[in-house]
């Protein structure tokens, strides 16, 4: 994969950086969004493809991006397609910091050391390449303003920005309401971006991530069997311990 452009995880992180505070907006949901953005980037690179609500590896060859290749290898080791909601909802410890450190090495941001309450050390990140950030923002603004269907990369970025809650960060207040609405509507322009964005929102909303299983046939009072009466005259299913 060439490095002539930023990856979608990098672009999403740059959008989330607050230029005033040096912190990231929506940090908890942003972690989910970064994991989802990796899936979109791998799909655009032809390494994975959607299979219903699952993600299948179609070309395990490395992309040349170490962080993406780590994700690709983890997907390959699964051996079978994995549900997007399972992947995004899994542990991704340090993913945001990995991308922040990468952007710092690339000169896109610089770290500013500080303290919280005068005691706890903190690190904030300020964007240094303002032209790149403006270009990313302009792509979103153009798609929102003109109504012209965006390219898949911009559509996926918009879908993820909406999914992690960056709408209020990018288009705040009542005056930004219509822009936030149009940002949400862009989700329909990229199938992979839409799949991943909905998975991100499902994880945030606590939607069950375990696949539903058809109940097995069994005797009354056994798991999967017919309902058994309760003491109050209701019906309940026995649960295995």
């Amino acid at each position: 994969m060439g490095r002539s452009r930023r990856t979608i995880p990098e672009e999403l992180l740059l959008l989330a950086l607050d230029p005033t505070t040096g912190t990231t907006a929506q940090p908890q949901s942003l972690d989910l969004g970064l994991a989802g953005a990796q899936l979109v980037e791998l799909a655009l690179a032809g390494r994975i493809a959607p299979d219903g609500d699952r993600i299948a590896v179609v070309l395990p060859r490395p992309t040349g991006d170490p962080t993406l290749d780590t994700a690709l290898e983890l997907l390959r080791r699964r051996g079978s397609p994995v549900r997007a909601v399972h992947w995004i909802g899994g542990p991704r410890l340090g993913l945001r910091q990995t991308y922040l450190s990468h952007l710092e090495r690339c000169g896109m941001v610089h770290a500013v050391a500080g303290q919280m309450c005068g005691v706890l050390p903190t690190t904030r990140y300020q964007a240094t390449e303002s032209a790149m950030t403006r270009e990313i923002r302009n792509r979103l603004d153009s798609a929102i303003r003109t109504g012209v269907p965006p390219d898949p990369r911009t559509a996926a970025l918009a879908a993820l920005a909406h999914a992690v809650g960056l709408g209020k960060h990018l288009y705040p207040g009542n005056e930004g309401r219509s822009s936030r609405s149009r940002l949400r509507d862009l989700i329909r322009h990229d199938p992979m971006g839409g799949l991943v964005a909905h998975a991100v929102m499902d994880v945030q909303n606590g939607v069950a991530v375990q696949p539903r299983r058809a109940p097995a046939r069994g005797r009354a009072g056994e798991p999967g069997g017919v309902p058994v009466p309760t003491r109050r005259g209701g019906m309940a299913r026995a649960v295995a311990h």
Side-chain angles (χ1 to χ4, degrees):
M1 174 184 294
R3 298 298 295 156
S4 60
R5 68 168 76 198
R6 298 294 100 194
T7 64
I8 293 179
E10 293 164 0
E11 292 188 334
L12 184 66
L13 187 51
L14 287 171
L15 281 178
L17 274 179
D18 189 308
T20 303
T21 65
T23 60
T24 54
Q26 306 293 333
Q28 293 183 340
S29 56
L30 181 60
D31 291 342
L32 302 176
L34 290 173
Q38 287 186 314
L39 294 180
V40 176
E41 192 66 50
L42 287 170
L44 289 173
R47 289 348 190 239
I48 65 174
D51 181 7
D53 67 344
R54 297 174 183 269
I55 304 297
V57 175
V58 295
L59 181 63
R61 188 177 68 214
T63 66
D65 181 304
T67 308
L68 290 175
D69 288 341
T70 296
L72 179 62
E73 176 61 15
L74 289 174
L75 285 166
R76 187 193 66 78
R77 289 179 184 176
R78 294 292 184 96
S80 60
V82 58
R83 292 183 69 203
V85 71
H86 283 172
W87 175 262
I88 292 169
R92 294 290 178 272
L93 296 177
L95 187 58
R96 186 173 8 133
Q97 186 57 51
T98 295
Y99 275 108
L100 283 169
S101 298
H102 172 72
L103 290 176
E104 184 182 15
R105 289 192 300 271
C106 293
M108 298 294 296
V109 302
H110 72 273
V112 180
Q115 289 183 330
M116 181 182 296
C117 301
V119 179
L120 299 175
T122 62
T123 303
R124 299 178 186 274
Y125 292 87
Q126 299 287 346
T128 56
E129 186 55 69
S130 56
M132 176 63 73
T133 303
R134 283 197 303 270
E135 185 275 330
I136 298 169
R137 179 65 181 269
N138 287 341
R139 280 165 40 212
L140 287 185
D141 291 345
S142 177
I144 287 173
R145 183 178 62 255
T146 65
V148 175
D151 61 276
R153 180 173 294 273
T154 301
L157 180 63
L160 287 162
H162 166 70
V164 304
L166 288 184
K168 291 183 179 180
H169 168 70
L170 298 171
Y171 307 103
N174 288 332
E175 64 275 15
R177 183 177 300 174
S178 61
S179 292
R180 294 195 297 270
S181 178
R182 288 193 289 270
L183 180 70
R184 179 195 62 218
D185 292 342
L186 291 176
I187 199 171
R188 70 181 186 274
H189 289 293
D190 180 62
M192 185 65 178
L195 168 65
V196 169
H198 283 297
V200 168
M201 291 186 284
D202 282 347
V203 174
Q204 292 181 85
N205 293 331
V207 174
V209 298
Q210 292 298 326
R212 296 180 179 179
R213 297 179 180 178
R217 295 183 177 274
R219 299 190 303 273
E222 290 185 344
V226 297
V228 295
T230 64
R231 291 187 177 181
R232 295 188 178 184
M235 304 300 286
R237 292 186 184 276
V239 179
H241 297 286

